[in-house]
Amino acid sequence: VMMSEEGQIAITYLGTEPISQIARVPETRELDYESMDQEHKALLKVIRDSANSQLSEPMDKLQIICQAPHTLTDKHDFRFDKEEAEDVATNEQGIPICVIVKLLLRYEGGGVVRNVTINLNTPNAIKLASKTIKVPQVEGDATIEIPFFVSRSVLPSSSKIEGVAAYTSPGGAPRTTWLSFSMPLCLICRVVAPVNVANHRITLESNIPSAPLSVLFGEIFRSAAALQPELKDTGEKVLSLKFFAGPVVTIRLSKAKNKIRIQSVSFESLWLVTNQYVRRLHSFHQKDRKSAGGKDGSSGANDDSSGGTGPLILTFPDVLPLKQYFGLIDNHFNLRLQIMTVEHALDGAAHQFRSIQKRLLQRYRHKNPTALMDLDLLLHESFMRLNALSNRM
């Protein structure tokens, strides 16, 4: 008799139950090759017809619109167990960092869509109470609010969320809808005072002067500057972003704003901030070129209002940081070796546990069983070793 920490009681026993049903040998009969040939020809005809016909998207489909705000909220439904709740990042007041994303479900057709199941795939650093969301029915429009949290121990590698919604049309046909959106930067990091300490850095060069950092990261910079007014003096050329998982990444612009240095104490933390900077800079210059082209009546293909000519080009003049890259690969390889070692030990311990079980069963089957010879102690020790190896895994 065993009792878990939650108070659940389980009764286990050592032994096997006899098979109640005996498998019967099926009756053999001669194969009808003529009917098989006819069925094969019919299937080939169906395959040819489906290959030649052009499939069109159904008009009555489920459309999903994602609305991710750029502000945090403290009003959310926090549903995590004790272990997962300890890994959720919180602010200075102990309130979990949370962003509520709204999903607008709109069915473009008549009738009611029932049993809509939405499965979301998130990076390891972004947490959800449940990655499967079920909607009983959708008639017209329906809105779902999903709270997203962030881990305090895992560094995010991406902010992209992907998902698929499976449902059944009013006519009974199974349908799917794919959705994708990005989480706001405020869920992943926050603006802090400029930090100069850095062990790893990369430098980018631009043919066009960069826009001010306070403009490129405006949605996260304005909220931080409202609480820390001293950031307004440095936000144009220096911006430090602190991940809720720990590292601080600093972006610095040169005096001419054509050289960008991104630095941090952690090499892997440079990726997400660099990606965000490059994407935002391209988006800013594209909008700037379109607005300039609209004012002077030209397309803006060969002109740029920021003082440069042609499209934005970013280059990396330094040597590729392969040392850090190969160091991460070696670390990953060592972890894989440790996992293989534990798996091999776990396989051996499981084999030993089964062997001791078989010997005990043979002893218990006898009418006059002999002494156990400490087999029960060996069974207990092998069971404890199995648990220890499982915890290491």
Side-chain angles (χ1 to χ4, degrees), residues 25-317:
V25 180
E27 297 180 359
T28 58
R29 58 181 180 179
E30 296 183 0
L31 299 177
D32 190 357
Y33 292 101
E34 185 176 355
S35 62
M36 292 172 62
D37 188 37
Q38 293 178 355
E39 183 181 2
H40 182 253
K41 291 180 179 179
L43 290 175
L44 286 178
K45 185 178 182 301
V46 172
I47 293 173
R48 292 193 193 98
D49 295 340
S50 62
N52 295 330
S53 61
Q54 294 182 355
L55 299 177
S56 59
E57 290 291 333
M59 299 300 295
D60 53 339
K61 60 181 180 180
L62 183 66
Q63 184 180 6
I64 302 179
I65 302 174
C66 305
Q67 298 177 353
H70 294 285
T71 57
L72 300 175
T73 180
D74 56 355
K75 297 179 181 179
H76 49 73
D77 188 9
F78 190 77
R79 293 179 299 172
F80 289 99
D81 56 24
K82 183 178 179 181
E83 183 177 356
E84 291 184 346
E86 293 178 353
D87 190 46
V88 174
T90 58
N91 58 14
E92 291 79 1
Q93 291 77 26
I95 301 176
I97 304 298
C98 175
V99 167
I100 295 181
V101 176
K102 292 184 179 180
L103 297 184
L104 177 62
L105 281 65
R106 179 176 298 164
Y107 180 63
E108 299 176 350
V112 180
V113 178
R114 302 184 185 277
N115 300 326
V116 180
T117 303
I118 303 175
N119 293 314
L120 298 175
N121 182 24
T122 63
N124 293 333
I126 299 178
K127 292 181 170 294
L128 273 174
S130 176
K131 294 187 178 182
T132 301
I133 303 166
K134 295 184 178 181
V135 183
Q137 66 178 22
V138 177
E139 183 176 4
D141 295 345
T143 303
I144 305 173
E145 293 186 350
I146 308 175
F148 286 85
F149 303 88
V150 65
S151 171
R152 70 169 71 218
S153 61
V154 180
L155 194 66
S157 59
S158 173
S159 61
K160 190 175 183 180
I161 308 295
E162 295 180 343
V164 62
Y167 62 98
T168 304
S169 66
R175 302 274 179 80
T176 57
T177 299
W178 180 79
L179 66 148
S180 175
F181 58 96
S182 297
M183 298 304 299
L185 199 59
C186 63
L187 181 67
I188 299 173
C189 58
R190 60 187 178 91
V191 178
V192 296
V195 177
N196 297 322
V197 179
N199 299 331
H200 306 277
R201 57 181 58 87
I202 60 174
T203 302
L204 302 178
E205 292 184 357
S206 172
N207 64 327
I208 300 173
S210 173
L213 298 177
S214 58
V215 176
L216 294 179
F217 296 88
E219 80 283 356
I220 191 174
F221 180 79
R222 285 189 294 268
S223 58
L227 300 176
Q228 306 177 51
E230 63 274 9
L231 294 177
K232 296 180 181 180
D233 300 332
T234 60
E236 183 176 352
K237 293 185 178 181
V238 181
L239 182 68
S240 292
L241 300 173
K242 177 178 175 57
F243 287 95
F244 292 109
V248 179
V249 180
T250 302
I251 308 175
R252 289 184 176 274
L253 303 181
S254 63
K255 293 183 178 180
K257 296 184 179 180
N258 59 349
K259 288 187 178 181
I260 306 98
R261 174 173 291 181
I262 306 174
Q263 58 189 25
S264 176
V265 296
S266 173
F267 179 71
E268 56 271 16
S269 63
L270 298 176
W271 154 246
L272 187 61
V273 176
T274 304
N275 183 40
Q276 285 281 335
Y277 173 79
V278 172
R279 183 177 60 83
R280 290 167 183 252
L281 187 61
H282 275 286
S283 178
F284 175 82
H285 281 287
Q286 286 177 1
K287 293 179 181 179
D288 196 18
R289 288 164 62 84
K290 289 181 180 179
S291 61
K295 290 179 181 180
D296 58 17
S298 62
S299 61
N302 298 318
D303 181 49
D304 193 275
S305 62
S306 299
T309 58
L312 173 68
I313 299 176
L314 291 172
T315 57
F316 182 70

